[in-house]
Amino acid sequence: MTATISKIIWLAFGLAWFVLRLRPRRRSRATPVRYSARGVREFVLLAASLMGLGIVPAVYVATHFPRFADYPEIPVLSYLGTAAGVACLWLFHRTHSDLGHNWSVSLDLRERHTLVTTGVYGSVRHPMYSAFWLMALAQVLLLPNWVAGPAGLVGFGILFFGRVAREEEMMIAAFGEEYRAYMRRTARVVPWLY
Ligand code: SAH
């Protein structure tokens, strides 16, 4: 596989990701929010993630900047990256189906919010973040550049570690013992591990 093909695959994953979000975005706009933990902090976290998973790699794919940080493409890594991207898109789609109208791009509780604990939410409580980690992994494996490749891990890492505990606190405040029990029987992002 050549570096150009790897870049095209990364672009196709980005496009598929965008398309998969069209319907959930429309549906979430139609469902009123009853509580929101949005604020400057959430804005900064979302910007970091967008920068690392979107803007930095997109600039690299479009302009080849920063060229000085290139390294030779290693085909086996590109194949692994493609597999990670496919797994990510499958999981991303499943999480949106399972969350339904409860989904938000930030920390919100919606009208008639229900606690989802089945489907891909049966073994981990943040499977959408698992999908984001898979996309960040796909990016580092597909883009042979020391800046554009790891940017997704850094950007999404900032969002994940800056948000996940607050999200769980918000869910405990909303669902109490039901969420605590759910936490006891699930992992955060990797089944049985973390
Ligand atoms: N952290 C989850 C969801 C990300 S979307 C995941 O990675 O899969 C963020 C929104 O999902 C938050 O606003 C929160 O209200 C909602 N949410 C998180 N976990 C949920 C669950 N188990 N059931 C219903 N809504 C949930």
Side-chain angles (χ1 to χ4, degrees):
M1 203 185 282
T2 67
T4 307
I5 294 177
S6 294
K7 285 181 180 174
I8 292 170
I9 292 173
W10 177 83
L11 207 58
F13 285 151
L15 212 64
W17 176 277
F18 179 79
V19 170
L20 286 176
R21 271 249 158 119
L22 288 177
R23 220 165 71 111
R25 206 169 283 142
R26 219 168 355 184
R27 188 168 44 196
S28 79
R29 268 203 287 265
T31 316
V33 169
R34 74 170 151 86
Y35 168 82
S36 182
R38 291 185 194 221
V40 177
R41 179 191 170 108
E42 265 296 303
F43 180 82
V44 171
L45 296 179
L46 280 165
S49 182
L50 178 68
M51 194 70 167
L53 282 170
I55 294 170
V56 170
V59 166
Y60 171 70
V61 166
T63 69
H64 209 147
F65 174 83
R67 194 182 288 262
F68 71 86
D70 274 353
Y71 58 84
E73 195 252 353
I74 303 162
V76 68
L77 296 187
S78 302
Y79 292 122
L80 288 172
T82 306
V86 170
C88 157
L89 291 176
W90 173 82
L91 186 57
F92 193 58
H93 174 63
R94 291 295 328 146
T95 55
H96 277 297
S97 308
D98 289 344
L99 264 191
H101 76 276
N102 301 304
W103 175 73
S104 291
V105 75
S106 188
L107 293 186
D108 301 324
L109 291 165
R110 297 188 175 272
E111 295 290 347
R112 303 182 319 279
H113 204 110
T114 51
L115 179 63
V116 178
T117 60
T118 54
V120 287
Y121 285 82
S123 46
V124 285
R125 41 188 196 278
H126 301 290
M128 193 174 289
Y129 300 156
S130 315
F132 272 82
W133 281 119
L134 278 171
M135 188 45 92
L137 183 67
Q139 179 178 325
V140 80
L141 292 169
L142 282 169
L143 304 182
N145 181 280
W146 290 112
V147 174
L153 290 172
V154 175
F156 180 66
I158 291 172
L159 172 72
F160 178 80
F161 290 107
R163 179 194 272 180
V164 73
R166 285 183 78 222
E167 179 167 341
E168 292 181 344
E169 278 164 25
M170 182 184 86
M171 298 306 279
I172 290 170
F175 295 98
E177 186 48 34
E178 197 185 351
Y179 195 79
R180 285 186 202 280
Y182 177 53
M183 286 177 84
R184 283 194 292 273
R185 63 176 191 273
T186 50
R188 263 185 171 157
V189 287
V190 185
W192 305 293
L193 282 182
Y194 170 74

